[in-house]
Amino acid sequence: MSLNQPSMGSLFKLKFPQSVRIYDDYAQAQKAVDFLADQKFAVENLAIVGTDLKSVERVTGRRTWGSVILRGVTAGISVGLLFGLLFMLFVPSPNALVVVLVAVLLGIVLNVIMQAVAYGLSGGRRDFESLSQTIATRYELMSEHKVAQQARELLDTMPGERARAFE
C-alpha cells in the first residue's frame, strides 16, 4: 500500500466527528446524504453510523425430523455438487456426469446423517428454526467538525426536514 492511500480501517473514521442529524431508519439517512451530495457538499466528510443495536431473531418454523432431513438433503446437494464439480475440474474423467452424481449422492447421505445426529443429540432443546440479524434502531449522520454546521444548515433547507423535527 502506498503512503498516499488510506488504510481500510481509517476509511471508516472521521478525525473530529460531530453529530449532524439522527434518523429513525437508514433510508432517511441515505436520503439526507444524497440531498447533501446534490447540494455539492463534500460528502466524503460524512459517515452514517447505526446506533442502538439490537439482535432480532425471527422464528420461521418448527423443527421436526422432516425439516431436519430436508435441510440435510438441500445442504448435501450443495456440498456434493461443489465437490463433484471440483473433482471433475482437477481429475478429468470420461464419466464426469457420473462423478458429479455420485458426489451429490454422497453429500446428501453424509449431510442427512450429520443433521440427524445433531438433532437427535439436542434432546428436544431448540425445536424451532430461526433467522438472526443485528439491526440498528437509529442512524446518526456524523460529519467532520469543520463542515458539521454547514451540513446542518443545508439539511434545514431539505424539503420536509423542518417538519421532521416536530414529529
Side-chain angles (χ1 to χ4, degrees), residues 16-38:
F16 301 102
Q18 286 189 353
S19 180
V20 175
R21 290 282 194 290
I22 297 174
Y23 297 96
D24 291 330
D25 61 46
Y26 180 77
Q28 291 175 323
Q30 189 177 22
K31 184 178 174 184
V33 173
D34 190 43
F35 176 80
L36 290 171
D38 292 345

Side-chain angles (χ1 to χ4, degrees), residues 6 15 22 45 70-71 75 84 89 92 98 114 124 127 142 159 164:
K15 289 185 179 103
I22 297 174
N45 291 303
L70 182 61
R71 181 182 291 238
L89 285 173
V98 172
M114 288 189 303
D127 275 346
M142 304 290 288
R164 192 181 76 78

Side-chain angles (χ1 to χ4, degrees), residues 11-92:
L11 287 176
F12 294 99
K13 295 179 183 171
L14 298 173
K15 289 185 179 103
F16 301 102
Q18 286 189 353
S19 180
V20 175
R21 290 282 194 290
I22 297 174
Y23 297 96
D24 291 330
D25 61 46
Y26 180 77
Q28 291 175 323
Q30 189 177 22
K31 184 178 174 184
V33 173
D34 190 43
F35 176 80
L36 290 171
D38 292 345
Q39 304 303 310
K40 309 297 186 237
F41 180 81
V43 292
E44 62 273 8
N45 291 303
L46 299 173
I48 298 173
V49 180
T51 60
D52 296 335
L53 300 179
K54 65 179 176 180
S55 175
V56 178
E57 184 173 8
R58 175 71 168 100
V59 177
T60 58
R62 182 174 169 75
R63 185 178 289 173
T64 63
W65 278 107
S67 66
V68 168
I69 291 170
L70 182 61
R71 181 182 291 238
V73 169
T74 56
I77 290 171
S78 301
V79 170
L81 196 57
L82 173 69
F83 280 107
L85 292 173
L86 285 174
F87 192 79
M88 188 176 76
L89 285 173
F90 295 112
V91 183

Side-chain angles (χ1 to χ4, degrees), residues 118-131:
Y119 181 64
L121 291 175
S122 73
R125 291 181 304 276
R126 197 165 163 85
D127 275 346
F128 61 92
E129 304 282 341
S130 66
L131 300 170

Side-chain angles (χ1 to χ4, degrees), residues 89-106:
L89 285 173
F90 295 112
V91 183
S93 169
N95 299 326
L97 186 59
V98 172
V99 169
V100 171
L101 287 173
V102 168
V104 168
L105 288 173
L106 279 172

